[in-house]
Amino acid sequence: MPHVSVDVDGVRYEDEVEARLLLTHYLRDRLGKVGTPIGCDTSNCGACTVLMDGLSVKSCSVLAVQADGHEITTVEGLGDGQDLHPMQRAFHEEHALQCGYCTPGMIMAALDLLRDNADPSDEEIRAGLEGNLCRCTGYQNIVRAVRRAADGMRQAERPEEARS
Amino acid sequence: MSEIAPEAVAEQVTPSTPDATAEVGRARLRTEDARLITGRTTWTDNIQLPGLLHVAFLRSPISHARITRIDAEDARRRPGVIAVVTGADLAGEQGSLPCAWPVTEDMVLPDHPPVAVDEVRYVGEPVAAVVARDRYAAVDALEAIDIDYEPLPAVVDMERAIEEGTGLVHADKGTNTSYTWVFEAGEPDAAFRDAPVVIERRYVQQRLIPTAMEPRAVVCSAVGDEYTLWSATQIPHILRLMLATVTGIPEHRLRVIAPDVGGGFGSKLQVYGEEVVCLLLARRLGRPVKWTESRSEGNMAVHHGRDQIQRLSLAADRDGRIRGLKVDLLADMGAYLMLVTPGIPLLGAFMFNGIYKMDAYSFRCTGVFTNKTPTDAYRGAGRPEATFGIERMMDELAAELGLDPLEVRRRNWIAHEEFPYDTISGLTYDSGNYEAATEKAMRLFDYDKLRAEQADRRDRGDPVQLGIGVSTFTEMCGLAPSRVLGSLSYGAGGWEHASVRVLPSGKVEVVTGSSAHGQGHETAWAQIAADRLGVPFEDVRVLHGDTSVSPKGMDTYGSRSLAVGGVALYNACDKVVDKARRMAAHLLEADEGDLEFSGGSFSVKGVPGQARTLQEVALAAFAAHDLPEGFEPSLDSEATHDPENFSFPHGTHLCAVEVDTETGFVKIRSYVAVDDVGKVVNPLIVEGQVHGGLAQGIAQALYEEAVYDADGNLTTTTMADYLVPSAADLPTFTTDRTETPATTNPLGVKGVGEAGTIASTPAVVNAIVDALRPYGVDDVPMPCTPERVWRALRAAQSGQAPPGGSPEPGAGGGLGSAGGAA
Ligand code: FES
Ligand code: FES
């Protein structure tokens, strides 16, 4: 069986895995990182979205072996200690979740969206999150949350921008 | 029409602003979010137990066939496989899945084994189960099961199913008709005789797949003769009773837990075969088992929703006044009757008259078996279908008479001073103000301006036409008064239970029989209790979803949680205060009648400084050193509330669409929803419910359809084929409220879970038809995909029959949808 060495939320794991094992099952069933759920089997819903080296991937369409040597961030690795990440806080404050099943994937996809575009319009947010389905919220508050997080994150960055 | 008589817009309908200290009415951020945004959740599939085994189901690939041979020996020899069971193996213990709603005395109710024994009747029906050491091994072994099927005729078309000589879904029953249910009020024939205007239409409510984002999952453990079953369910209490009934495991040996549940929308209001089988497997093997479905099997095996053919006739006078309405439905049951399958279309029987007055009404519904996935509750359950029917007909009536669609409605709706009003279908609407909601919606929508733009585009012959759709809906929710359920032959009551425990430290535990799965009960229930008991919001914890923690309940569906369960909580809190008052009077050496309770403290009227807080009283009751004569040392109380009536949220939804007449593409330009859901506990949660409801209703209008081919194969098994809309497919909604409190409960609440879904589908379709009416189009079948809009236009222009009248190609439903149902 192939050997993988993966960094997940700041912890290094070394494992032997079946070549066909999906990253999402590796995270959930082998590492107990169950914060990232699964919503489909055709890479449509985005519930399983995580960051691989900072870029969002649907962990159901990545093999565990493809994550070898890479760094994975899940929703469980956001924030630091007691403090929520601004995106998590914005989802809470804008009531951008109901059942919350889509939320981890939505948050990770939104982070990737802001990496590309720090100040997206509503339309750009809607287009950027097209790969993440939510059945509960009608998306309106998700759009608001992403905008709020974007504003907050840009403001937090501004001192650095001013220096550079 | 440009205005509603302004005097009708009564002052009191403006949503109330609660006082700053009150919890009820406050837009509290939700407490449940903390675990959901950090991934610290307990979805059923997250649960790990020592020795856990994994289950996978083999499902029928054929819509109707006899099973002539099953060979599972190879599968049993696969590595890591612990057991393989077939229907025959389980026949002695699996029983038949329950249907709790025998709607007529002579309803045909076929056996429904959890795993098919000798015949399969829909694609996706379980035929065998594998138990293995992990998910992959279980799924691998499915391939090794060898089954011979002898195909039988597939019944896929409802209208053909009830004709003589069609094959039978259940041969032993001799018919594909499960039941015919009728209701009549007034004199429909007289109302139609000599009516100056009669409008007849045939509408199809396409089949939908509920698609909660969390797929179903079950974990079951057996320790001795004690069983614990975790399930992604909306109904832990009902499920416990039903599993006990089906399997013979005594109810008190069975604990059912609904942990975090990722949405339901009715699809998890069910007793599923997989739940039964997991229980039986845990019992057989003496080891815990887990089953989690894939989305593709879920699309085939989670019950579907809607699926009706509606034949509607409306008789009216020339001035637009409705004389009578006749409704004739064919409702697709699918292959079996599940928990409330036959009753779903009948929930619409009382809603086809909507908010309108009329002299006569008749309703007839025929439940039909087909070789398709069984249908059952999906958000709105019967009421969206009815609302669609009547709201489409009101627009057709307006068009026939050359009136504005809002004017036709105004001439027929119940005026605000006429409440309470006894409707033609026998319900008593307690409160409402359709004028006020409509006036507000028109203002937010800028109705006149959009009508002017529409006229302009028509004049210019703009290839992109503007359409305006109206839906002035009501619905019945807060399911349900038990006596009404009894009169409809439903197998249970509609009450809800709550208990309140004041702990010695003064903290409060609220136990509710409602089982939330995204609705935010943990927040809203704490708001209600905090207000009633005068304790801080943070001091209240809400417990639910586990039959050992919350032993009594009727669970969550039918927008019932707040209007029934919330009221139970309200009553239980009052009982706590009553007990505490007696104790406080004793401690204060005062007469009970001289005590005032406010802000969580009992004080003696006119004696400042003489007071005891609820917490102090609770501690004194706990210590029990000095109690009033005969006082039990506890303030804990419980209440079971059975509603006296349904509640009737209503609202006015206005939708503007741009329809490209060259491509058929529909774009929602604006959507205004003004809802009256009575008093509101948490406006944030209410707005969220409306948004989500709108998304699902719009999705029915534009995107979603479960498509079967002529052989009964579901072609929309994946999310690539079944088009759940994304953020990019939906508009920004403008939502607002009016507020006429319900008069049938002390909270004044009506319920909001389904309103958006019920209202929005006809608003969107009315808008599309409105845009195209000058081209001769009077219907576009749902979902109104570009192809269907385009075909409707072409058909109208070439003088062909309207598309709603006959089956036609070009179904929605994505990649696999060619030649789907109409
Ligand atoms: S689970 Fe990965 S996209 Fe749906
Ligand atoms: S919050 Fe339930 S799916 Fe998005």
Side-chain angles (χ1 to χ4, degrees):
Chain A
M1 276 203 281
H3 179 88
V4 292
S5 165
V6 192
D7 186 305
V8 181
D9 294 336
V11 176
R12 239 252 319 271
Y13 297 89
E14 305 269 346
D15 275 303
E16 313 296 321
V17 298
E18 266 190 272
R20 61 172 176 167
L21 183 69
L22 297 176
L23 175 59
T24 188
H25 286 137
Y26 177 64
L27 292 172
R28 292 179 54 80
D29 295 345
R30 295 283 291 275
L31 306 186
K33 304 289 287 186
V34 291
T36 303
I38 300 172
C40 74
D41 49 3
T42 48
S43 305
N44 290 102
C45 76
C48 64
T49 306
V50 299
L51 301 182
M52 185 148 95
D53 300 335
L55 303 184
S56 76
V57 293
K58 291 180 172 175
S59 63
C60 72
S61 41
V62 174
L63 296 168
V65 291
Q66 291 175 293
D68 182 34
H70 294 281
E71 212 174 276
I72 304 294
T73 310
T74 78
V75 73
E76 296 173 57
L78 292 182
D80 79 73
Q82 285 303 86
D83 281 342
L84 293 173
H85 185 282
M87 187 64 78
Q88 292 171 310
R89 213 178 322 119
F91 268 64
H92 173 54
E93 287 168 351
E94 293 292 351
H95 184 38
L97 60 148
Q98 290 178 30
C99 78
Y101 200 78
C102 70
T103 308
M106 213 48 101
I107 285 176
M108 302 317 280
L111 286 173
D112 195 27
L113 170 74
L114 296 191
R115 197 188 45 80
D116 277 347
N117 178 354
D119 187 14
S121 68
D122 283 9
E123 293 311 302
E124 287 168 333
I125 294 170
R126 284 179 181 275
L129 294 179
E130 202 173 11
N132 289 72
L133 299 177
C134 172
R135 195 55 155 168
C136 299
T137 66
Y139 303 102
Q140 189 149 327
N141 291 351
I142 292 176
V143 174
R144 279 188 204 158
V146 175
R147 216 175 41 217
R148 181 188 191 117
D151 293 347
M153 286 163 69
R154 276 200 324 280
Q155 266 163 31
E157 300 245 313
R158 202 161 289 153
E160 271 174 43
E161 277 171 23
R163 272 201 304 277
S164 61
Chain B
M1 185 189 72
S2 60
E3 67 193 57
I4 301 290
E7 69 275 14
V9 184
E11 282 293 302
Q12 79 275 9
V13 299
T14 308
S16 49
T17 6
D19 73 273
T21 58
E23 277 297 334
V24 168
R26 173 186 294 206
R28 270 263 174 213
L29 296 178
R30 301 196 321 168
T31 30
E32 38 276 87
D33 290 357
R35 62 179 188 276
L36 299 168
I37 53 178
T38 51
R40 269 64 167 181
T41 28
T42 315
W43 311 118
T44 300
D45 187 62
N46 293 3
I47 293 166
Q48 291 291 352
L49 297 171
L52 186 69
L53 301 173
H54 291 259
V55 180
F57 285 90
L58 186 67
R59 297 176 183 279
S60 170
I62 303 180
S63 63
H64 196 191
R66 215 178 324 277
I67 300 170
T68 53
R69 188 185 66 97
I70 302 189
D71 182 354
E73 281 321 303
D74 278 359
R76 291 195 175 98
R77 283 194 295 269
R78 287 279 180 118
V81 170
I82 283 78
V84 179
V85 293
T86 63
D89 298 329
L90 295 172
E93 51 182 322
Q94 67 174 349
S96 180
L97 294 176
C99 172
W101 203 340
V103 295
T104 59
E105 297 266 306
D106 58 353
M107 180 181 85
V108 172
L109 174 57
D111 265 358
H112 186 185
V115 178
V117 179
D118 43 29
E119 193 169 322
V120 289
R121 296 187 176 85
Y122 67 94
V123 170
E125 185 169 1
V127 289
V130 171
V131 188
R133 62 183 290 187
D134 64 49
R135 309 175 197 269
Y136 284 45
V139 173
D140 284 348
L142 295 180
E143 288 172 5
I145 302 174
D146 195 20
I147 304 190
D148 290 342
Y149 293 101
E150 182 186 306
L152 294 166
V155 180
V156 289
D157 180 296
M158 263 196 283
E159 285 168 325
R160 239 174 279 153
I162 54 173
E163 286 168 7
E164 282 294 315
T166 306
L168 293 171
V169 178
H170 298 275
D172 57 325
K173 300 295 182 192
T175 175
N176 287 325
T177 299
S178 173
Y179 67 87
T180 299
W181 192 92
V182 293
F183 175 86
E184 196 167 294
E187 291 175 44
D189 289 337
F192 275 77
R193 202 175 305 127
D194 310 323
V197 181
V198 173
I199 294 175
E200 297 187 335
R201 292 288 185 273
R202 174 186 182 275
Y203 295 133
V204 176
Q205 285 284 324
Q206 81 271 35
R207 187 176 264 258
L208 301 178
I209 303 179
T211 322
M213 285 306 299
E214 181 201 21
R216 291 179 300 159
V218 182
V219 171
C220 187
S221 86
V223 178
D225 61 355
E226 307 281 337
Y227 301 87
T228 305
L229 182 122
W230 291 260
S231 182
T233 182
Q234 296 173 228
I235 52 162
H237 299 94
I238 297 171
L239 183 58
R240 178 198 200 196
L241 172 61
M242 290 297 165
L243 287 175
T245 311
V246 170
T247 62
I249 291 171
E251 191 182 353
H252 63 302
R253 300 284 179 218
L254 179 58
R255 172 183 181 189
V256 174
I257 301 173
D260 286 327
V261 176
F265 316 109
S267 70
K268 294 170 182 171
L269 161 53
Q270 193 54 273
V271 178
Y272 281 109
E274 293 89 346
E275 291 167 321
V276 173
V277 171
C278 284
L279 182 55
L280 298 178
L281 288 171
R283 178 165 72 178
R284 269 189 185 209
L285 302 170
R287 282 180 68 177
V289 298
K290 179 195 280 188
W291 167 72
T292 302
E293 79 184 348
S294 71
R295 178 64 58 186
S296 303
E297 64 177 335
N299 275 15
M300 297 185 285
V302 172
H303 72 238
H304 292 175
R306 316 280 191 264
D307 206 346
Q308 289 182 357
I309 297 171
Q310 311 179 324
R311 289 190 180 280
L312 309 174
S313 319
L314 184 118
D317 290 327
R318 273 271 144 225
D319 63 0
R321 200 189 62 83
I322 303 171
R323 291 176 160 217
L325 177 69
K326 292 184 183 176
V327 176
D328 192 357
L329 302 184
L330 291 184
D332 195 341
M333 308 283 98
Y336 300 97
L337 303 184
M338 296 193 71
L339 191 61
V340 288
T341 301
I344 295 301
L346 308 187
L347 288 172
F350 310 98
M351 282 285 113
F352 267 97
N353 49 299
I355 63 171
Y356 310 111
K357 298 178 276 191
M358 57 188 73
D359 305 327
Y361 171 58
S362 75
F363 174 93
R364 175 192 169 91
C365 176
T366 305
V368 182
F369 291 114
T370 59
N371 289 115
K372 297 181 186 175
T373 301
T375 59
D376 207 314
Y378 171 52
R379 201 171 194 173
R383 292 153 289 158
E385 296 91 317
T387 302
F388 181 88
I390 185 64
E391 289 303 303
R392 284 286 295 113
M393 290 302 269
M394 293 308 282
D395 263 35
E396 294 304 300
L397 178 60
E400 174 72 24
L401 299 173
L403 290 170
D404 184 286
L406 280 166
E407 176 59 24
V408 154
R409 286 167 170 82
R410 189 182 66 76
R411 291 183 187 181
N412 286 288
W413 71 35
I414 301 156
H416 70 283
E417 65 274 6
E418 292 178 277
F419 289 94
Y421 184 88
D422 294 331
T423 72
I424 189 73
S425 61
L427 297 175
T428 303
Y429 292 178
D430 62 318
S431 70
N433 191 323
Y434 309 139
E435 299 92 328
T438 301
E439 192 272 340
K440 195 172 209 175
M442 288 174 74
R443 194 153 32 82
L444 291 167
F445 190 68
D446 222 338
Y447 188 81
D448 293 337
K449 198 165 153 216
L450 282 167
R451 280 282 179 219
E453 181 186 331
Q454 177 181 50
D456 176 57
R457 289 196 194 216
R458 282 182 184 172
D459 290 348
R460 283 191 285 117
D462 191 332
V464 179
Q465 289 286 313
L466 187 72
I468 294 171
V470 176
S471 172
T472 50
F473 81 106
T474 189
E475 57 144 331
M476 54 191 264
C477 68
L479 304 185
S482 298
R483 77 187 146 75
V484 178
L485 293 179
S487 72
L488 293 171
S489 316
Y490 182 66
W495 47 264
E496 192 48 88
H497 184 78
S499 61
V500 176
R501 302 195 285 251
V502 188
L503 306 179
S505 62
K507 307 294 187 209
V508 174
E509 285 176 335
V510 164
V511 180
T512 174
S514 290
S515 187
H517 41 282
Q519 292 87 348
H521 291 18
E522 289 166 37
T523 307
W525 268 227
Q527 289 180 272
I528 294 171
D531 260 9
R532 295 310 291 168
L533 301 175
V535 301
F537 171 84
E538 293 74 14
D539 285 3
V540 183
R541 175 151 182 256
V542 179
L543 305 167
H544 65 90
D546 176 343
T547 59
S548 324
V549 172
S550 147
K552 280 180 81 170
M554 279 294 184
D555 307 315
T556 287
Y557 46 87
S559 306
R560 69 188 306 273
S561 290
L562 185 58
V564 189
V567 175
L569 171 58
Y570 181 100
N571 293 341
C573 289
D574 281 2
K575 289 187 185 177
V576 168
V577 173
D578 287 345
K579 282 189 194 174
R581 186 188 311 275
R582 182 147 174 248
M583 184 74 197
H586 181 71
L587 296 172
L588 291 162
E589 295 178 348
D591 195 78
E592 266 188 69
D594 292 336
L595 292 193
E596 257 175 2
F597 181 64
S598 113
S601 177
F602 293 93
S603 55
V604 185
K605 282 179 209 157
V607 188
Q610 280 279 72
R612 287 284 191 286
T613 63
L614 184 79
Q615 290 88 341
E616 289 168 336
V617 175
L619 185 60
F622 169 75
H625 298 157
D626 178 17
L627 301 174
E629 186 64 31
F631 189 89
E632 283 184 36
S634 165
L635 303 183
D636 299 354
S637 300
E638 53 186 311
T640 303
H641 175 65
D642 199 332
E644 59 174 91
N645 192 358
F646 296 95
S647 55
F648 302 96
H650 72 82
T652 297
H653 288 212
L654 298 173
C655 174
V657 297
E658 289 175 0
V659 182
D660 187 326
T661 57
E662 286 165 358
T663 63
F665 187 78
V666 173
K667 175 175 182 273
I668 296 184
R669 160 105 157 251
S670 71
Y671 195 104
V672 169
V674 174
D675 284 287
D676 187 333
V677 297
K679 288 274 185 201
V680 160
V681 173
N682 185 323
L684 200 67
I685 291 177
V686 164
E687 194 195 19
Q689 285 287 329
V690 172
H691 287 169
L694 292 176
Q696 284 181 25
I698 291 170
Q700 177 173 11
L702 294 180
Y703 303 117
E704 296 181 16
E705 178 170 23
V707 179
Y708 283 85
D709 70 12
D711 297 321
N713 297 304
L714 181 67
T715 63
T716 51
T717 52
T718 75
M719 279 183 159
D721 308 301
Y722 187 83
L723 301 181
V724 171
S726 77
D729 301 316
L730 291 169
T732 302
F733 313 115
T734 304
T735 57
D736 206 333
R737 288 189 290 113
T738 53
E739 191 173 296
T740 52
T743 62
T744 51
N745 69 64
L747 282 167
V749 297
K750 298 181 180 176
V752 67
E754 297 159 297
T757 304
I758 291 169
S760 56
T761 310
V764 175
V765 178
N766 277 340
I768 295 168
V769 174
D770 184 55
L772 302 180
R773 207 175 291 273
Y775 298 79
V777 172
D778 72 358
D779 192 28
V780 179
M782 296 187 290
C784 303
T785 57
E787 183 184 349
R788 284 185 162 189
V789 170
W790 187 88
R791 281 179 187 279
L793 261 167
R794 290 299 164 278
Q797 293 193 316
S798 62
Q800 290 168 9
S806 60
E808 48 92 61
L815 304 178
S817 65

